[in-house]
Amino acid sequence: MRVTLLGTGDTTGTPTVGCDCETCETARELGVERTRFSVHVENERTGESLLVDASPDFRYQFLREGVPVPDAAVITHVHFDHLDGLGNVFRIVEALDVFAADENDPETGASVAETVADDYDYLRAISVRPRTPLEPFETCGLEVTLVPVDHPPLVCYGLAIEDPETGAKLSISGDTTYDVPSASREVLADPDLLLAEAIVPAHLCAYHPLGGRHEGPDGVHHTFGTKHMTREGALALADDLDAAETRLVHAAHFYPADEAFEEPLAVDGEVYEL
């Protein structure tokens, strides 16, 4: 299983358009970036590829990394930075199965699968495949399980992706607070690689109107505001899940420049062989 981090940033990316903050300037100087979140998973045994979330930067990401076009995709939730790249499949693929959760979202009145189907009904190549969270399904020769996480006010899902032949496992936290349900943690546990969202370092909770939540034993906030993990929360989750390796993703340009590119914060283009 070859995992390519196509996009490791939050909704604005780093560098952020029109921003001259020290972090964005440092990213430009280093020649690194964090485009909107997306992950490419290639099953080298079958020659198939799975896309996790369709970033608005889809076209640029695929051209930059030179990865194969996807045979299937999974959409974790309906925020634009995880969904709106689907329109890029027009005339790129003849057919694309798009998997998404089938449970109703009280906020929208529709499931993620229904929203994708309604928003992209004009794309004949797309076939939406509703799936029930916590029930494994197979695509691209891989076993995939959607797991509920905590990203109010919308429903949102993390993923466990396993190769049934090799036993390699990739877990993705999805956009979430530290309050990931226990049943989801069980599915995500013991990955070879964990991609955990870490939007900002915990010390920035002091600047959020709602502060932070889910303090650890040391009093450090694991959740920033209401719907994202801090760096410290993501690392605590990695410890909870006993991850062999962890990369922090969905990072904002609000990280101070002297912290923004430190390990284990990921940048676009990283590749992992599991």
Side-chain angles (χ1 to χ4, degrees):
M1 187 192 304
R2 177 181 293 159
V3 180
T4 302
L5 308 188
L6 296 178
T8 56
D10 69 337
T11 188
T12 65
T14 302
T16 296
V17 173
C19 183
D20 60 358
C21 75
E22 187 177 359
T23 298
C24 288
E25 289 298 325
T26 300
R28 295 182 183 102
E29 291 168 6
L30 294 174
V32 297
E33 57 188 339
R34 294 185 175 119
T35 56
R36 273 72 69 87
F37 182 79
S38 188
V39 179
H40 186 273
V41 182
E42 186 174 356
N43 185 343
E44 296 169 290
R45 291 186 298 99
T46 66
E48 297 171 290
S49 298
L50 175 66
L51 179 67
V52 178
D53 283 341
S55 166
D57 300 307
F58 181 110
R59 175 183 176 276
Y60 172 62
Q61 291 170 344
F62 273 78
L63 289 173
R64 183 190 63 198
E65 302 305 330
V67 292
V69 296
D71 298 283
V74 180
I75 300 299
T76 61
H77 65 298
V78 298
H79 279 153
F80 93 99
D81 53 323
H82 296 257
L83 171 63
D84 281 6
L86 269 183
N88 287 274
V89 305
F90 180 67
R91 293 188 177 176
I92 293 176
V93 297
E94 293 185 2
L96 185 73
D97 286 336
V98 178
F99 298 92
D102 63 0
E103 63 182 358
N104 188 69
D105 186 338
E107 182 72 17
T108 67
S111 68
V112 176
E114 290 171 325
T115 299
V116 173
D118 289 344
D119 287 357
Y120 293 95
D121 61 333
Y122 64 93
L123 292 177
R124 294 183 180 179
I126 287 180
S127 297
V128 178
R129 308 295 186 191
R131 290 295 182 266
T132 300
L134 299 174
E135 293 185 7
F137 61 91
E138 184 175 319
T139 184
C140 300
L142 302 168
E143 184 179 274
V144 180
T145 308
L146 286 158
V147 299
V149 293
D150 182 43
H151 190 54
L154 299 178
V155 293
C156 185
Y157 304 88
L159 289 172
I161 302 173
E162 298 184 65
D163 187 326
E165 294 290 326
T166 67
K169 181 176 180 179
L170 167 68
S171 290
I172 302 173
S173 73
D175 285 14
T176 185
T177 72
Y178 178 71
D179 193 23
V180 176
S182 59
S184 298
R185 288 174 179 250
E186 290 178 12
V187 175
L188 296 172
D190 302 312
D192 297 292
L193 176 63
L194 171 67
L195 303 180
E197 85 118 336
I199 197 161
V200 295
H203 61 79
L204 293 189
C205 289
Y207 300 96
H208 193 289
L210 298 178
R213 293 189 295 147
H214 304 133
E215 293 85 357
D218 54 2
V220 174
H221 296 299
H222 289 175
T223 294
F224 178 70
T226 61
K227 57 186 178 181
H228 292 284
M229 281 192 291
T230 63
R231 173 183 57 196
E232 290 75 8
L235 292 174
L237 180 67
D239 286 343
D240 297 344
L241 299 180
D242 198 21
E245 184 170 7
T246 301
R247 303 302 289 166
L248 303 185
V249 296
H250 207 268
H253 71 127
F254 299 115
Y255 273 88
D258 61 350
E259 300 178 41
F261 306 103
E262 292 182 342
E263 293 293 322
L265 284 161
V267 294
D268 289 11
E270 296 180 11
V271 179
Y272 297 89
E273 300 281 353
L274 307 185

